[in-house]
Amino acid sequence: MAGIESVGSAAVLGTYTEPELWSRSVQFLLSMQRGDGALIDSDYDFGGSDSLPNVYVAVTSLVGLALMDAKHRVPEKVEAIDAALEKAAQFVRDEKNINAVDRDEILWAYAYRLRFLAARHRLGLETLDTINQAAAKLEAVQGNRGSWYHEYSNSFVTATALVALADAKAAGASVDQEVVDRGVESLLRDRYSNGAFPYSNGRVNRPNANEEGDIAAAAGRMPICELALLLWGKSDQTKLQFAVE
């Protein structure tokens, strides 16, 4: 209506109850799954279409984690969720669905897949061998200076990898401590004294280097970076709380 400011696609507060929101959201995700188990929901082409298989594996793994978290909230959909999770796991386990030569999105596929499969392993739904293989794939794409890359090496993808490896270790997998130590050292090199983290590794001759030291500019990546350091014994709850706040 003329004169009414748009609120975008957001429903008016109170349109749905919390149980309705969980139920509708779960149903939406279930309806998005393909016959092969994938949830693609993307025509991402920033780094080239060769990245798409890895985007699909990453998205499918993230949806799998979300459905695992939602399962106890929607008891009427438990059977459908279990079936969807099994199909999703089959899809992400299959190496034919990974483009191993892609350098733009491979980190997300390997890291989120590992987190999803490790979460399933804790429920007795995946073998330890599967987790070990997934962890080794993630370790193998670490860069020479200890960081991982998403188009280029940076702190938040390094943190994402370290959190995934922490999940794997918690599940009982064999994690290469030297790989972890190099990743942690990379994060510590990047960390500003005020707790901020840069968008990319290496601060020399970058026009926005000073801006990246600002808390506001780094807010989106601080929590995952601080969490990674905490999980590997190089931070504490106070620093993590500060990053979140």
Side-chain angles (χ1 to χ4, degrees):
M1 295 175 61
I4 303 297
E5 185 176 352
S6 171
V7 293
S9 61
V12 176
L13 185 65
T15 301
Y16 304 109
T17 65
E18 184 175 343
E20 286 173 333
L21 284 171
W22 281 104
S23 181
R24 290 171 68 90
S25 299
V26 166
Q27 187 55 44
F28 171 77
L29 292 176
L30 293 175
S31 72
M32 292 292 291
Q33 190 171 40
R34 298 191 315 197
D36 63 356
L39 292 102
I40 63 172
D41 193 30
S42 176
D43 57 0
Y44 186 85
D45 193 15
F46 187 80
S49 58
D50 62 314
S51 300
L52 286 177
N54 298 331
V55 174
Y56 299 161
V57 169
V59 170
T60 302
S61 299
L62 284 168
V63 171
L65 286 166
L67 288 174
M68 290 179 72
D69 184 59
K71 182 177 171 180
H72 72 284
R73 304 173 189 269
V74 283
E76 73 278 8
K77 291 184 169 63
V78 166
E79 190 173 327
I81 290 173
D82 283 341
L85 288 170
E86 184 58 38
K87 289 171 63 178
Q90 290 176 7
F91 179 81
V92 303
R93 282 195 304 262
D94 192 341
E95 293 298 325
K96 294 195 299 293
N97 295 321
I98 294 275
N99 178 8
V101 299
D102 163 49
R103 289 189 56 85
D104 296 310
E105 311 299 336
I106 189 70
L107 178 282
W108 308 118
Y110 283 160
Y112 292 139
R113 175 176 71 171
L114 180 56
R115 298 199 68 183
F116 175 43
L117 295 177
R120 282 174 53 84
H121 174 72
R122 290 193 290 272
L123 298 176
L125 300 173
E126 300 289 341
T127 68
L128 188 57
D129 186 55
T130 296
I131 310 306
N132 282 330
Q133 291 178 26
K137 292 285 186 179
L138 176 58
E139 290 171 345
V141 294
Q142 184 183 43
N144 293 334
R145 299 191 70 241
S147 60
W148 278 264
Y149 56 85
H150 156 68
E151 302 162 28
Y152 44 84
S153 62
N154 61 64
S155 57
F156 58 90
V157 296
T158 299
T160 298
L162 288 171
V163 170
L165 289 173
D167 279 359
K169 183 176 181 179
S174 298
V175 172
D176 188 333
Q177 190 61 44
E178 290 186 5
V179 168
V180 170
D181 290 344
R182 289 197 298 270
V184 168
E185 289 168 6
S186 175
L187 270 187
L188 291 174
R189 283 196 304 269
D190 276 346
R191 193 181 192 278
Y192 288 86
S193 59
N194 64 354
F197 288 84
Y199 188 79
S200 58
N201 295 123
R203 302 172 188 163
V204 179
N205 296 326
R206 286 213 315 274
N208 61 338
N210 292 330
E211 176 186 322
E212 289 181 350
D214 294 338
I215 295 295
R221 51 191 170 267
M222 285 171 62
I224 187 69
C225 292
E226 208 63 59
L227 174 62
L229 292 174
L230 175 67
L231 290 173
W232 291 105
K234 297 298 182 180
S235 186
D236 55 50
Q237 290 290 347
T238 300
K239 291 185 177 66
L240 177 58
Q241 182 175 343
F242 173 76
V244 172
E245 290 177 349

